[in-house]
Every structure is written in structure tokens, then in C-alpha cells.
Amino acid sequence: KALTVAAAREGSINGIKSIAISVNRNKNKIDYSAVKFFAPKIIESILKKNIPSNIFYNINFPSLPCQLVKGIKVVKTGERKPGKLVYSNIENKEKNFIIPSERKILSTAKSGEDEFELKRHFITLSIHHNKNLYISERDFIKYKKILGKIIE
């Protein structure tokens, strides 16, 4: 996931409307059928919108057959990968960091956040600014409104 987001961010920094696409991994073989069916429609819809190129998107697909996907949600990014580093003990003048585990990520995910909605079998679309990845609450509401219904 982190590499697709980094590539989309780099494109956005260079003035290109950019979209990262990832498929959520689970213990089974990855199922790309939802990506194949929904991605072209979502991308076409996004590219038609009048949103500045300093904004980019991250689309996460559940690894499920199309018929099990519940829909698409524009969501906020939860506090996790690419990561919220948590300070651990500071010993010997060295900073130690902890990256939250998947289990902790999912247990702390909230409704309206990407990991939570992805786990509920929704395709998630998060909106990012190329300067610092996160956008303000005001901008989230603004761009979510501009995006409107993603696909008909």
C-alpha cells in the first residue's frame, strides 16, 4: 500500500491527477474481480471532477468477488499505515518507535475510516493532500461533496 500511495503523491506533486489502488490482503488468494469491475468506473468518475492536482486519492478494494462488495465509501484515513509512529521508551538518548500492529489497527479503526469500512466489505476512497498526506476536516467535507456519487 505504501508504495502505491507514494507513487500517487509523487504524481500529484508533479501536477498529475493521481490515484493509488490497492487490494486488501487476507489469508486467501487475492481476488481482483472487484478491481477489474469497479476501478475503471471509479477512475473515470474521479477524473471528471474539478479537484486540484495537489489532491490525490487512495482506493482500497476488499479481496472479494464483485457481488460481495457492499459499495463505495469516501472515508478518512485512520491512524495507521503509512503509519502513526508511537514513541516508546527513550533510553540512552535514542528514540525507539513502535509501528501499530494490524490487530491494533483494526481494533482502533472507527466508522468512516478506511480500515473499518474495508473490513465491512466496502471499497474505500480516501482523499489526500500532497504536502502532508492528510487533509483538514473542512477540506474533507468540501472534496467529498465535489466527488458526490462516485459511480452510478
Side-chain angles (χ1 to χ4, degrees):
K1 282 184 186 181
L3 293 177
T4 59
V5 171
R9 183 179 188 193
E10 193 67 29
S12 178
I13 288 168
N14 286 288
I16 301 165
K17 281 192 175 185
S18 300
I19 302 168
I21 296 177
S22 300
V23 179
N24 191 41
R25 294 182 181 156
N26 58 31
K27 294 176 184 167
N28 303 319
K29 183 178 176 186
I30 295 178
D31 185 327
Y32 291 97
S33 62
V35 178
K36 184 177 178 182
F37 181 79
F38 289 107
K41 296 171 184 169
I42 296 169
I43 292 167
E44 182 180 350
S45 177
I46 289 171
L47 293 177
K48 287 180 181 177
K49 307 296 180 181
N50 188 22
I51 295 179
S53 60
N54 65 340
I55 299 297
F56 69 96
Y57 310 91
N58 182 27
I59 305 170
N60 288 299
F61 289 86
S63 180
L64 296 170
C66 288
Q67 63 270 24
L68 296 180
V69 173
K70 292 183 178 177
I72 302 166
K73 288 197 174 194
V74 177
V75 296
K76 296 179 182 177
T77 302
E79 292 183 349
R80 51 115 186 103
K81 300 175 289 179
K84 176 180 181 181
L85 294 176
V86 179
Y87 283 103
S88 180
N89 294 328
I90 300 176
E91 299 173 11
N92 302 327
K93 298 182 181 179
E94 292 182 22
K95 293 181 182 178
N96 298 306
F97 297 97
I98 299 171
I99 299 173
S101 71
E102 287 292 325
R103 180 176 293 149
K104 182 168 180 146
I105 291 164
L106 293 175
S107 69
T108 60
K110 300 176 187 106
S111 179
E113 291 181 352
D114 51 1
E115 291 291 332
F116 184 89
E117 301 302 346
L118 190 61
K119 190 78 170 168
R120 293 181 55 225
H121 301 175
F122 284 93
I123 297 167
T124 63
L125 188 152
S126 54
I127 307 165
H128 301 273
H129 192 283
N130 66 21
K131 294 274 191 236
N132 62 6
L133 293 181
Y134 296 97
I135 60 173
S136 67
E137 179 69 21
R138 191 182 97 213
D139 283 345
F140 175 78
I141 292 166
K142 173 180 147 182
Y143 295 128
K144 184 176 179 178
K145 185 176 180 181
I146 292 169
L147 284 171
K149 188 169 174 85
I150 305 298
I151 61 173
E152 301 301 321

